[in-house]
């Protein structure tokens, strides 16, 4: 349960161990500071479990997005069935859970930052069914980045099945990726949906995104959690990249 993360992390750090802590690292700011102080005092690596950065789907999205130039807008959407209640119903207890935003939405906020850079400001709204207000079931977060790019991260946990969609537009094209639990084939499939159009008589490329996209990519992958890659990456980067102070993975 989330409320135990800080105590366990501090105990391991004080025992001289590097720590990979599940998110959230703690349920209060004071406990976050306590864990960070323990990591600094022990000289150990403290990393957060932002494992979606090493999922094949999102690794490929980032690699493809790099070909499209500076990103302008990102739309990340999660639509899924409600969460399980956890052993003894701890996920229904705010004192043990903390904020539900730190359960799953934090992964998508981390991905937005990974793809677009540092956040300058944000706004958020949530509505829930009666009796489920603490879960912030339908959550919308609008992000503005220092680069001027924008993003919308949307989470619904009052739906069914498990669907993820990512739409990215950039100066040189656009990318769409989607995943549905248990629906897509186990083997990756990749399609280049549209080639770069030829330059017209004025010397541009058909107006860039104003007309046909300069490049359009559709990705469909089955997600698998490559835990071995995640752990190997943590060991290989003890200099600070995996540290929570630097944004984690």
């Amino acid at each position: 349960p989330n409320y135990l993360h800080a105590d366990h992390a501090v105990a391991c750090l004080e025992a001289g161990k590097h720590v990979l802590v599940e998110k959230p690292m703690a349920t209060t700011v004071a406990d976050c500071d306590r864990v960070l102080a323990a990591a600094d005092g022990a000289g150990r690596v403290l990393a957060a479990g932002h494992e979606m950065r090493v999922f094949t789907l999102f690794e490929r999205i980032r690699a493809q997005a790099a070909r499209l130039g500076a990103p302008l807008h990102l739309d990340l959407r999660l639509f899924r069935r409600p969460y399980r209640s956890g052993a003894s119903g701890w996920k229904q207890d705010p004192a043990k859970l903390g904020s539900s935003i730190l359960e799953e939405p934090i992964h998508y906020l981390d991905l937005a930052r990974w793809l677009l850079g540092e956040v300058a400001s944000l706004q958020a709204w949530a509505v829930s069914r009666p009796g489920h207000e603490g879960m912030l079931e339908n959550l919308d977060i609008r992000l503005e980045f220092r680069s001027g790019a924008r993003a919308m991260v949307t989470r619904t946990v009052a739906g069914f099945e498990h669907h993820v969609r990512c739409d990215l537009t950039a100066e040189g094209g656009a990318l769409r990726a989607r995943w549905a639990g248990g629906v897509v084939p186990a083997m990756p499939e990749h399609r280049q949906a549209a080639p770069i159009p030829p330059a017209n008589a004025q010397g541009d490329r058909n107006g860039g995104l104003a007309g046909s996209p300069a490049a359009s990519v559709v990705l469909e992958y089955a997600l698998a959690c490559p835990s071995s890659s995640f752990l190997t990456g943590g060991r290989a980067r003890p200099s600070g990249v995996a540290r929570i102070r630097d944004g984690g993975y």
Side-chain angles (χ1 to χ4, degrees):
N2 296 347
Y3 76 105
L4 297 176
H5 291 182
D7 286 345
H8 288 193
V10 168
C12 291
L13 290 164
E14 290 179 346
K17 306 297 182 181
H18 297 302
V19 171
L20 172 61
V21 62
E22 179 59 281
K23 48 75 198 161
M25 62 185 289
T27 56
T28 68
V29 173
D31 273 347
C32 288
D33 290 341
R34 183 163 63 92
V35 176
L36 288 169
D40 290 343
R44 301 288 87 185
V45 173
L46 173 65
H50 290 306
E51 73 275 5
M52 292 182 77
R53 291 196 183 195
V54 294
F55 282 2
T56 299
L57 174 70
F58 296 110
E59 287 182 327
R60 299 288 176 86
I61 287 173
R62 193 168 192 246
Q64 293 289 344
R67 300 167 49 200
L68 303 180
L72 300 174
H73 185 266
L74 175 69
D75 186 359
L76 266 173
R77 296 175 180 267
L78 169 66
F79 179 93
R80 59 160 293 165
R81 61 191 176 276
Y83 298 132
R84 297 175 180 175
S85 60
S88 301
W90 71 265
K91 286 191 176 183
Q92 306 299 321
D93 184 346
K96 295 179 178 179
L97 175 71
S99 171
S100 71
I101 296 173
L102 298 179
E103 274 293 289
E104 193 165 21
I106 190 64
H107 282 305
Y108 296 93
L109 294 170
D110 175 64
L111 288 172
R113 180 172 172 265
W114 193 46
L115 292 167
L116 300 184
E118 295 301 328
V119 176
S121 64
L122 67 83
Q123 295 174 295
W125 305 263
V127 294
S128 300
R129 295 170 297 167
H132 298 268
E133 291 82 1
M135 290 303 297
L136 307 175
E137 288 184 320
N138 304 285
L139 175 69
D140 298 287
I141 303 173
R142 180 183 182 274
L143 302 160
E144 181 176 354
F145 294 81
R146 294 178 186 175
S147 66
R150 303 288 194 275
M152 279 294 297
V153 176
T154 302
R155 186 278 303 268
T156 294
V157 290
F160 51 87
E161 301 176 344
H162 195 145
H163 300 265
V164 176
R165 197 183 84 185
C166 172
D167 296 325
L168 175 73
T169 56
E171 290 181 352
L175 177 152
R176 167 169 284 183
R178 52 189 176 268
W179 175 80
V183 176
V184 296
M187 295 301 293
E189 176 187 345
H190 166 243
R191 299 193 305 272
Q192 179 91 14
I196 297 176
N200 61 23
Q202 284 70 45
D204 64 11
R205 291 191 178 275
N206 198 30
L209 292 178
S212 299
S216 179
V217 177
V218 176
L219 302 173
E220 294 182 357
Y221 292 103
L223 289 184
C225 181
S227 56
S228 60
S229 297
F230 181 75
L231 294 173
T232 300
R235 295 190 194 101
R237 288 179 276 186
S239 61
V241 175
R243 292 181 187 274
I244 286 179
R245 289 191 188 279
D246 297 330
Y249 261 51

